[in-house]
Amino acid sequence: MSLKIIIVGGVAGGASAAAKARRTNEAANIVMFEKGPYVSFANCGLPYYVGETIQDRDDLLLQTPERFWKRFRVQVQVLHEVIRIDRTAKCVQVKNLVTQEIASHPYDTLILAPGAGAIMPNIPGIHARNIFTVKTVPDSDAIKTFLASQTSQQALVIGGGFIGLETAEALMGLGLTVTIIEKAPQILPPFDRDMATLVAHHLQEKGVKIIAGDGINGFRQNGDHAKEAELESGTRLPMDLAILSIGVRPELKLAREAGLEIGSAGGITVNERQQTSDPDIYAAGDAVETLHLITGKRTRIPLAGPANKQGRVAGANAAGGDLQFHGALGTAIVESMGITAAKTGLSGHEAKAQGLNYFVSLTHPLDHAEYYPGAEALHMKLVVEQQTGRLLGAQIVGDQGVDKRIDVLATAIHAKLNVQDLEQLDLAYAPQFNSAKGPVIMAGFVAANTLRGEVDTLTGEELQKKLEGNPSLQLLDVRTMDEYQEAHIPHARLIPIDELRDHLQQLDPSQETVVYCRVGLRGYLAARILLQHGFTNVFNLTGGYLSFPQ
C-alpha cells in the first residue's frame, strides 16, 4: 500500500512540502487541505496588487489545485479546514467549509503548515467595514473593491513594519493621504533606531505622515464604517479606511489540541528534520520555531524564505527522504517610496539583549564609482563580535544597490566570516556597478581597523552621552570650512584634516578627544595622526556626522 501523506495548509510551507514530497516519492498518495480559497499564492505581492503595480490578479496565484494535480499528482482540497488530529488513530477530521460536512482521513505521515494569521486586536470598532488586513488574496480583493466603490482620501496604516511600509506606498500611489501609526518608538522595529530614522525621514519627505510611540486604542463608527481612529494617547485621527499590519500570530490550535510540543518562542517545536514531538508529524512555515544561526536559540521567523525551505525538508522527510534545515538569519528587505532597507542577522539592540560583547561600525559609501553618473549613498551598519570580529548582523538603507550588498553580507554571516574576511573579498567591479573598494569591502576595512585597535570608535548616541557628561570634551571637526558652516555638532572645533598637522599645538594631547568628519574616513585619518603625535585617548565617530542623531 502506498504511503499516505496529508498536508495541512497550502501556501508557502505547505505547497513546497507537497512538491518536494512528490519529487521524493512518486508512489505516495498526497492530499493537501487548505481552508482558504487559494493555494500557493504570493502573499508578499499583495500590497503591490492593491497599489496596481501588479495588474493581473492571476499573477499572484503561483499554483492552482488543477496545476498541482497535473504536474505533481497532489490532490488539493481548498475550503477544507482540518479541525482535529487524532494521533492514536493517525487520522485527521476535515470540515468542508461549503457543505459543512466533516470527514475522517487517515495518514501515515502528516505535515502541518497552517501559517500565521493577521493580528486583529480586540478593540472597539475593529469590525467596521472599512478596516482591513493584507494577508490573503480575499483581503486585497476587499480593499480594491472598497476603493473602487467609495471615495477615499485619508488612509491609516496601523503598524510600521515591512507590510505597513509597502501598503503605505501602495495607497500613496493611488492618491490617498497616508498616516502610519506605530506603537514602538520607531518604524521598522527590528532595525536599530538610527537606521530606521533614515527611512522615516525619507517617507516624511515624500508626504507620508508617521506617528511613532503611540498605539491604536479603537475606532469610532458612524453606521458600519469607522470615521475616526483613537490612539492610546487620546489623539483622534479622521479616516476613510485603515489597514492593520501589526503582525501575525501563529496558528497553533491544531498542534496544541493534538498535544504537540510548543516551544518557549511560541511556535511548534521541530528538529532539523522538521519533525515535531510526534515523529510521524512534520511542521513548517510561520507556525514553527526556527534555530537562529547567530544566537543558537529557538525563535520565530515568519518569512517566506525559511518557510519554503522548511516545507521542502518536511516534504522530503515525510515521503521517506532525509533532509535537514539548520536555521535562519531572518534576512529581509523592504522598499517604500523609493528607499530600501534591509537587515540580516542581529541588530545592535538585539545583540545587546542577547548579552553579546559587540561593537558597531557605520559607513556611508556610494553604491558605485563616484565618477560614473547616478551614484547614490548607501548607509551601512555592521554589528561585530568584539573578541573575534565575527559578523553578527548588518543593516543597509539606500536608494539603490541595497539588495546586492545585503545578500553578500548574509552569505558572509552564514559562512561564519569575520570582518577581516570582508576585507579580502573579491567582488565584481565596473564603475556602473561597484567601486574598486566596494561598499561591502569598505565596510570590512572600517570594522577591521576597529577590531585591530588601529582606532577606537564611538557611535553618535555614545558621543551624545559623552557631551552631556563632559561639555568640555575636546571635539574636533576635520571637515572643510564650508561643511562646518553648513552644520556641525555643538561645541566642535574646526581644524580641516589637511591642516591638522600644522595646528597640533592648539590641542591638548592629555584630553579625551573625539574627531569626526562627514562619513568617517577623514576622522579615521585624523585619529591616526593624533595617535602618532602623543595623543592617547582618541575616538573617531563611526559613520561621521551623517550618523550623529539630528
Side-chain angles (χ1 to χ4, degrees):
M1 185 177 293
S2 62
L3 184 71
K4 178 68 178 289
I5 303 171
I6 287 181
I7 301 170
V8 180
V11 190
S16 294
K20 186 61 177 179
R22 174 57 70 216
R23 294 195 297 271
T24 303
N25 189 332
E26 179 65 17
N29 181 3
I30 305 172
V31 180
M32 181 163 61
F33 294 109
E34 166 56 47
K35 67 179 180 180
Y38 304 101
V39 293
S40 191
F41 64 86
N43 48 9
C44 293
L46 295 177
Y48 304 103
Y49 174 55
V50 170
E52 299 182 355
T53 300
I54 296 174
Q55 297 280 333
D56 190 341
R57 183 176 179 275
D58 287 345
D59 289 342
L60 297 171
L61 307 179
L62 307 179
Q63 286 287 354
T64 64
E66 295 75 21
R67 290 205 295 266
F68 252 115
W69 176 252
K70 286 182 178 180
R71 178 160 296 182
F72 298 110
R73 286 299 187 265
V74 172
Q75 184 181 356
V76 177
Q77 299 287 338
V78 296
L79 298 173
H80 280 67
E81 181 180 7
V82 177
I83 58 175
R84 182 172 178 270
I85 302 169
D86 185 335
R87 290 168 54 194
T88 302
K90 296 188 70 172
C91 68
V92 295
Q93 302 296 316
V94 183
K95 183 177 183 179
N96 183 323
L97 298 180
V98 177
T99 66
Q100 305 301 307
E101 294 176 334
I102 296 175
S104 179
H105 295 264
Y107 67 82
D108 294 306
T109 55
L110 176 66
I111 301 172
L112 299 180
I119 294 175
M120 296 281 288
N122 185 21
I123 56 176
I126 191 68
H127 298 298
R129 292 183 62 184
N130 57 334
I131 297 174
F132 306 93
T133 59
V134 193
K135 191 69 175 62
T136 67
V137 174
D139 288 343
S140 57
D141 287 340
I143 296 170
K144 290 177 73 68
T145 298
F146 177 84
L147 291 172
S149 62
Q150 303 284 334
T151 300
S152 301
Q153 295 179 332
Q154 300 182 82
L156 304 181
V157 176
I158 316 299
F162 285 21
I163 298 297
L165 266 58
E166 291 168 348
T167 303
E169 178 184 43
L171 296 174
M172 287 283 289
L174 295 175
L176 280 73
T177 298
V178 178
T179 301
I180 297 174
I181 300 162
E182 171 55 57
K183 187 170 184 176
Q186 64 184 60
I187 62 169
L188 296 176
F191 285 68
D192 286 324
R193 188 163 189 170
D194 54 348
M195 303 301 284
T197 298
L198 295 169
V199 179
H201 286 168
H202 178 90
L203 295 181
Q204 289 167 328
E205 289 173 358
K206 294 293 184 179
V208 179
K209 300 175 184 177
I210 297 175
I211 299 174
D214 204 352
I216 186 72
N217 199 46
F219 297 95
R220 294 177 175 268
Q221 289 183 242
N222 181 4
D224 55 5
H225 285 69
K227 294 299 182 182
E228 193 175 59
E230 182 177 338
L231 305 187
E232 292 176 350
S233 64
T235 301
R236 294 182 182 179
L237 300 172
M239 54 170 280
D240 294 310
L241 79 157
I243 310 292
L244 297 176
S245 60
I246 57 178
V248 295
R249 182 178 290 116
E251 300 283 3
L252 300 176
K253 184 174 182 291
L254 264 182
R256 278 204 175 102
E257 291 180 351
L260 297 178
E261 183 179 338
I262 306 298
S264 59
I268 302 170
T269 300
V270 293
N271 61 18
E272 288 184 335
R273 303 184 75 249
Q274 297 301 129
Q275 277 177 310
T276 68
S277 52
D278 184 324
D280 292 324
I281 301 179
Y282 299 79
D286 293 354
V288 309
E289 292 186 347
T290 298
L291 188 71
H292 197 287
L293 292 175
I294 296 295
T295 67
K297 297 178 181 179
R298 294 282 170 180
T299 187
R300 289 194 303 109
I301 302 178
L303 295 170
N308 276 278
K309 289 189 280 286
Q310 291 162 1
R312 181 174 180 270
V313 170
N317 294 335
D322 187 17
L323 293 183
Q324 293 186 351
F325 176 70
H326 298 294
L329 295 169
T331 305
I333 189 167
V334 62
E335 182 276 329
S336 184
M337 306 298 294
I339 193 165
T340 303
K343 174 180 179 287
T344 186
L346 300 180
S347 64
H349 72 262
E350 289 168 340
K352 183 177 182 180
Q354 293 293 327
L356 297 174
N357 188 11
Y358 71 97
F359 68 89
V360 301
S361 181
L362 290 149
T363 52
H364 305 279
L366 297 176
D367 74 291
H368 62 256
E370 183 175 9
Y371 63 84
Y372 191 88
E376 298 286 350
L378 291 170
H379 307 281
M380 302 179 65
K381 185 173 192 176
L382 302 186
V383 182
V384 184
E385 190 170 51
Q386 185 75 57
Q387 305 91 330
T388 66
R390 180 170 67 115
L391 192 57
L392 302 175
Q395 297 158 74
I396 309 176
V397 173
D399 294 345
Q400 56 194 26
V402 173
D403 53 345
K404 169 179 172 177
R405 277 68 188 212
I406 203 68
D407 282 343
V408 171
L409 291 168
T411 303
I413 296 174
H414 194 93
K416 297 183 172 59
L417 301 187
N418 61 37
V419 292
Q420 290 169 307
D421 292 317
L422 296 186
E423 292 183 293
Q424 304 295 329
L425 290 179
D426 187 6
L427 303 178
Y429 161 56
Q432 67 270 48
F433 300 115
N434 208 352
S435 302
K437 294 181 290 188
V440 171
I441 295 171
M442 184 60 71
F445 286 159
V446 173
N449 287 342
T450 302
L451 179 69
R452 288 188 289 262
E454 294 182 18
V455 64
D456 289 327
T457 61
L458 79 175
T459 66
E461 291 181 354
E462 290 169 338
L463 176 55
Q464 275 188 322
K465 291 178 182 177
K466 277 185 177 290
L467 290 171
E468 290 169 5
N470 179 17
S472 62
L473 176 75
Q474 191 162 248
L475 180 59
L476 186 59
D477 187 324
V478 297
R479 299 175 301 163
T480 65
M481 175 64 78
D482 288 344
E483 290 175 291
Y484 182 84
Q485 289 180 338
E486 182 179 343
H488 61 269
I489 300 173
H491 310 297
R493 177 177 185 172
L494 174 67
I495 303 180
I497 180 65
D498 294 337
E499 302 172 20
L500 180 58
R501 291 182 181 88
D502 298 328
H503 294 85
L504 291 174
Q505 70 280 4
Q506 299 176 14
L507 301 172
D508 184 351
S510 66
Q511 266 195 284
E512 184 179 30
T513 303
V514 177
V515 296
Y516 75 90
C517 62
R518 182 175 181 272
V519 299
L521 175 58
R522 287 172 288 175
Y524 166 69
L525 298 175
R528 291 300 300 163
I529 291 170
L530 295 177
L531 287 168
Q532 294 176 81
H533 283 83
F535 290 72
T536 57
N537 195 7
V538 179
F539 294 88
N540 182 29
L541 175 62
T542 184
Y545 186 75
L546 289 183
S547 294
F548 188 76
Q550 305 299 315

